[in-house]
């Protein structure tokens, strides 16, 4: 099953009677891409906003002490409308803290500490991003599984569940968006250590985080789970704050690793994939095409007379042309295609499941679209054209296809440019 949280909108409600605090929160949270902020200073104002925009709200940041709700009445009312709540407070005793956590709030923050404003912003951004992240909960106990899923639902994660190791492996196979697995140790048939070992045979630590859990934790058990491939371990029973911190930290770690890997595979100027990624991913596509018999097309494209663009407009002007061409290529090609900057003003498209006729049509469309691209630098229109080489016969490998496409590209150059050459 998937959580309903991912169906929520993009609006956050701030309910705070201090204009300075409300303004600071609205300004900082408003910088999160995709998020809009509504502000209320009283419970009455909050009610009007919630009733009018309930379907678009994904979270509310709520002050406990309002002029018309001095005892935190805003929290249960907002949550009764199905809106998750993050509470702002000037201080809580243990009983008040327990009462709020029992209500099912996301978290509470001491607003008297200026640094905690940044904690609020990070928490909001975390919850907003979680709508695209799935967590798999693996536990043979229905009640334990339901409790974990309810906690995760507060933070907006998409949810998957499995009651044993076999169904957990099936869920991972079916849902590629799973980034975290919460795995109980004590399960019949396949315990947590065995399941984690099976998962790690296929999914690396950079692809998937695993947190082991047990009611009977010990140093030896945690060591076994970690050696099997878990990233972390939690003893039950746990404080909910500790649970949220561990889950969020592990998700943020895997996002950081994936961002680093993504940046390493991207050309910094155009944002397209770089030559290194093209070689690695292209070889995998080539092997898959040979194995399945599906067609594979390699298209190399070089902008004509690009040296003249740099000479006339400088390298800053040339860079702007390359960025616009790159954006246009992404708009023309399919999301499954690899679009890379091959070097200088040269670009490459590797398209899977594409026959010769389709590859020719795509190359001609690329050529025509580049020639028609409206690029203006410093008020001056920059005429563009491109020469392309197209290869669809597999030959001896991806490197061979690239070399043949390169020869065809230069045939197009020497034959007058602004044209496509393709193997018969």
């Amino acid at each position: 099953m998937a959580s309903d949280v991912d169906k929520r909108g993009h609006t956050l409600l701030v309910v705070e009677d201090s204009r300075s605090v409300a303004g600071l929160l609205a300004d900082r949270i408003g910088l999160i891409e995709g998020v809009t902020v509504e502000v209320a200073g009283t419970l009455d104002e909050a009610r009007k906003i919630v009733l009018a925009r309930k379907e678009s709200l994904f979270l509310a940041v709520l002050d406990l002490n309002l002029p018309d709700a001095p005892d935190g009445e805003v929290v249960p009312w907002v949550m009764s409308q199905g809106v998750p709540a993050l509470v702002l407070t000037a201080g809580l005793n243990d009983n008040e803290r327990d009462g709020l956590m029992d209500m099912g709030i996301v978290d509470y923050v001491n607003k008297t500490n200026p640094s905690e404003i940044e904690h609020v912003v990070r928490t909001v951004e975390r919850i907003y991003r979680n709508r695209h992240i799935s967590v798999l909960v693996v536990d043979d106990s229905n009640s334990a599984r339901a409790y974990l899923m309810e906690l995760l639902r507060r933070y907006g994660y998409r949810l998957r569940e499995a009651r044993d190791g076999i169904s957990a492996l099936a869920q991972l196979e079916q849902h590629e968006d799973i980034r975290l697995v919460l795995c109980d140790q004590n399960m019949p048939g396949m315990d947590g250590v065995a399941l984690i070992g099976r998962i790690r045979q296929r999914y690396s630590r950079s692809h998937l985080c695993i947190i082991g859990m047990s009611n009977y934790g010990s140093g030896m058990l945690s060591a076994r789970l970690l050696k099997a491939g878990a990233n972390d371990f939690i003893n039950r029973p746990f404080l909910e704050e500790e649970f949220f911190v561990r889950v969020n930290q592990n998700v943020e770690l895997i996002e950081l690793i994936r961002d680093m890997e993504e940046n390493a595979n991207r050309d910094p100027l155009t944002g397209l994939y770089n030559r290194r990624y093209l070689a690695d991913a292209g070889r995998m596509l080539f092997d898959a095409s040979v194995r399945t018999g599906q067609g594979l097309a390699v298209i190399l494209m070089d902008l004509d007379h690009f040296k003249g663009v740099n000479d006339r407009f400088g390298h800053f002007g040339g860079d702007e042309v390359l960025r616009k061409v790159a954006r246009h290529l992404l708009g023309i090609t399919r999301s499954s295609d690899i679009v890379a900057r091959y070097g200088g003003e040269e670009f490459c498209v590797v398209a899977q499941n594409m026959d010769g006729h389709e590859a020719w049509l795509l190359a001609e469309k690329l050529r025509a679209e580049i020639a028609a691209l409206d690029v203006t630098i410093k008020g001056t229109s920059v005429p563009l054209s491109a020469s392309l080489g197209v290869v669809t016969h597999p030959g001896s490998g991806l490197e061979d296809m690239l070399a043949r496409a390169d020869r065809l590209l230069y045939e197009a150059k020497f034959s007058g440019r602004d044209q496509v050459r393709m193997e018969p």
Side-chain angles (χ1 to χ4, degrees):
M1 61 170 288
S3 167
D4 290 336
V5 177
D6 59 297
K7 299 176 183 178
R8 288 196 174 278
H10 305 264
T11 304
L12 176 117
L13 172 62
V14 174
V15 186
E16 168 62 62
D17 63 330
S18 167
R19 290 188 178 182
S20 60
V21 174
L24 180 59
L25 283 169
D27 289 344
R28 291 288 291 110
I29 295 170
L31 295 176
I32 301 173
E33 185 177 357
V35 175
T36 58
V37 181
E38 292 278 352
V39 177
T42 65
L43 174 56
D44 184 58
E45 292 174 1
R47 282 195 178 108
K48 292 175 182 176
I49 294 173
V50 170
L51 293 175
R53 306 201 59 180
K54 185 188 304 185
E55 297 304 316
S56 69
L57 292 171
F58 72 92
L59 181 67
V61 177
L62 307 175
D63 182 15
L64 273 184
N65 304 112
L66 299 171
D68 57 345
D71 297 316
E73 295 92 340
V74 66
V75 178
W77 187 86
V78 168
M79 294 186 66
S80 73
Q81 302 303 304
V83 181
L86 174 63
V87 171
L88 298 176
T89 175
L92 291 175
N93 59 42
D94 289 345
N95 288 335
E96 290 169 335
R97 174 259 172 211
D98 292 344
L100 287 171
M101 297 306 293
D102 288 343
M103 284 187 201
I105 67 167
V106 171
D107 202 353
Y108 57 89
V109 178
N110 185 347
K111 67 177 180 178
T112 61
N113 186 345
S115 66
E116 290 301 297
I117 295 296
E118 290 306 311
H119 175 67
V120 173
V121 176
R122 289 195 303 271
T123 301
V124 170
E125 185 170 19
R126 176 74 271 150
I127 292 172
Y128 186 68
R129 295 175 68 175
N130 286 349
R131 67 182 61 205
H132 303 299
I133 297 174
S134 283
V135 178
L136 173 62
V137 179
V138 189
D139 198 310
D140 62 315
S141 166
N142 291 338
S143 60
R145 201 167 62 247
Y147 173 61
L148 291 172
M149 292 177 69
E150 176 54 36
L151 293 181
L152 293 164
R153 189 173 286 110
R154 298 183 197 176
Y155 263 80
Y157 289 103
R158 297 169 62 93
L159 301 177
R160 312 288 178 187
E161 61 179 313
R163 62 183 305 153
D164 55 43
I166 297 301
S167 56
L169 293 171
Q171 287 275 12
L172 287 167
E173 182 76 22
Q174 184 179 358
H175 302 290
E176 295 182 354
D177 62 341
I178 295 173
R179 291 292 171 264
L180 173 66
V181 176
L182 289 170
C183 173
D184 185 44
Q185 163 60 14
N186 304 292
M187 295 184 294
M190 184 187 303
D191 66 13
V193 170
L195 174 58
I196 291 170
R198 291 279 300 274
I199 292 173
R200 283 293 176 235
Q201 290 176 9
R202 178 160 185 181
Y203 303 96
S204 70
R205 291 174 183 267
S206 65
H207 180 87
L208 187 72
C209 280
I210 305 174
I211 299 178
M213 309 184 74
S214 177
N215 293 327
Y216 311 102
S218 67
M220 182 61 70
L221 176 58
S222 63
R224 289 178 62 210
L225 288 163
L226 293 170
K227 285 185 175 182
N231 299 76
D232 204 349
F233 175 79
I234 300 178
N235 270 317
R236 288 165 160 161
F238 49 74
L239 286 175
E240 292 178 1
E241 291 98 321
E242 178 193 5
F243 175 81
F244 290 137
V245 167
R246 287 180 180 270
V247 166
N248 292 329
Q249 283 182 345
N250 277 280
V251 170
E252 287 167 3
L253 176 61
I254 201 170
E255 286 184 332
L256 177 61
I257 294 172
R258 290 171 70 86
D259 286 346
M260 292 172 64
E261 291 178 344
E262 180 73 3
N263 289 335
N265 291 326
R266 292 285 181 180
D267 169 54
L269 175 64
T270 63
L272 299 179
Y273 287 117
N274 57 26
R275 195 161 177 167
R276 176 182 123 175
Y277 180 85
L278 173 70
D280 294 340
R283 287 191 191 100
M284 288 191 289
L285 290 186
F286 179 87
D287 293 343
S289 73
V290 171
R291 186 171 61 251
T292 62
Q294 295 180 330
L296 186 73
V298 171
I299 303 173
L300 273 182
M301 182 187 85
D302 188 86
L303 298 179
D304 298 328
H305 304 296
F306 191 74
K307 182 179 182 300
V309 175
N310 281 330
D311 290 344
R312 185 176 181 185
F313 299 102
H315 288 287
F316 287 109
D319 288 350
E320 181 60 22
V321 170
L322 293 175
R323 281 191 288 264
K324 288 188 177 181
V325 168
R327 288 195 294 269
H328 209 64
L329 292 181
L330 290 175
I332 298 171
T333 52
R334 305 171 303 182
S335 60
S336 59
D337 299 336
I338 298 173
V339 184
R341 186 182 180 194
Y342 198 64
E345 63 272 21
E346 202 167 9
F347 301 87
C348 182
V349 178
V350 178
Q352 59 183 329
N353 194 21
M354 183 173 286
D355 61 27
H357 179 65
E358 291 169 331
W360 171 265
L361 292 177
L362 174 58
E364 272 294 337
K365 183 175 183 179
L366 292 172
R367 183 203 62 77
E369 294 268 351
I370 295 301
L373 191 60
D374 181 20
V375 179
T376 301
I377 299 176
K378 296 179 181 178
T380 302
S381 179
V382 182
L384 294 176
S385 67
S387 301
L388 299 92
V390 184
V391 170
T392 56
H393 301 301
S396 60
L398 179 70
E399 292 80 2
D400 178 51
M401 295 183 75
L402 288 166
R404 285 152 43 211
D406 191 55
R407 288 194 293 269
L408 289 166
L409 185 157
Y410 279 94
E411 283 183 19
K413 290 275 190 188
F414 293 136
S415 299
R417 297 181 172 84
D418 192 22
Q419 58 185 275
V420 177
R421 284 299 178 96
M422 182 174 179
E423 286 181 334

